[in-house]
Amino acid sequence: MRLIGWLLCAVVMCAAQSCGAPSAPKVESVNVASVEQSEGSPSRVVVAVGLDNKGYGAKLLEGRIRISYKGRNVVILSLTESVKIAPRRSVVVELPLRVSIAHNSSAVAFREAISRGEVSEVKVSWQAKARVAGVKRSQIELPPTPIAELLSAEQIEQLCRAFNDSVTD
């Protein structure tokens, strides 16, 4: 469970910071606010993201984050409802996400690789549709990118440690 929580936090932070626009909100914190379990695995998660938004308000209409291992999806996070981001202030935005975890050989290989600290074949991609105040809808995306390019070595070490702790709990 800790692995999924940490992984969600890391991936949401990467996605938010990868927008690259100068006026994009700055991510100040990411925490798992709640988890709904189904058959021993998380099925829905709410991630609370602290943002310092110096720009316009926005509405995140759709969003999907994919985590893959050796080219096959192992975890997919999908936004379940639209989310508003208030303009020109610091806010905490709650992202309700549906969690889909693959139950196949790639998912097993992914877990084994993470437990050994081998993340070279782990990639993250995301797509989102948003509307900025007064502007048409826009789609932003990140193509599959190695997680090592998105997270620091320290964050990857924390990810692997969280995974190993969750396996031994």
Side-chain angles (χ1 to χ4, degrees), residues 106-165:
S106 291
V108 172
F110 167 73
R111 290 198 253 338
E112 290 171 358
I114 293 291
S115 71
R116 293 188 306 269
E118 298 172 5
V119 296
S120 61
E121 296 288 337
V122 178
K123 293 186 177 181
V124 175
S125 63
W126 58 266
Q127 298 170 314
K129 288 184 182 176
R131 182 183 327 209
V132 178
V135 181
K136 288 197 285 185
R137 291 181 185 199
S138 61
Q139 182 160 333
I140 50 177
E141 62 183 88
L142 175 73
T145 304
I147 199 165
E149 291 180 18
L150 300 171
L151 299 177
S152 68
E154 180 182 327
Q155 290 170 319
I156 290 172
E157 184 179 318
Q158 288 174 342
L159 170 65
C160 295
R161 194 171 35 247
F163 175 78
N164 288 325
D165 289 348

Side-chain angles (χ1 to χ4, degrees), residues 47-64:
V47 177
V49 181
L51 297 173
D52 180 16
N53 184 15
K54 297 199 185 308
Y56 295 107
K59 186 172 188 178
L60 186 58
L61 303 168
E62 297 176 23
R64 179 168 286 151

Side-chain angles (χ1 to χ4, degrees), residues 33-98:
S34 66
V35 177
E36 186 179 307
Q37 297 273 352
S38 176
E39 299 179 17
S41 295
S43 59
R44 294 190 184 277
V45 184
V46 175
V47 177
V49 181
L51 297 173
D52 180 16
N53 184 15
K54 297 199 185 308
Y56 295 107
K59 186 172 188 178
L60 186 58
L61 303 168
E62 297 176 23
R64 179 168 286 151
I65 300 169
R66 290 182 180 88
I67 301 163
S68 63
Y69 181 70
K70 292 189 175 182
R72 294 196 59 198
N73 290 333
V74 291
V75 179
I76 298 175
L77 309 166
S78 303
L79 192 66
T80 60
E81 59 188 66
S82 62
V83 175
K84 289 183 181 180
I85 301 171
R88 297 178 188 84
R89 68 181 73 148
S90 291
V91 294
V92 175
V93 177
E94 292 193 341
L95 302 174
L97 301 165
R98 183 179 57 249

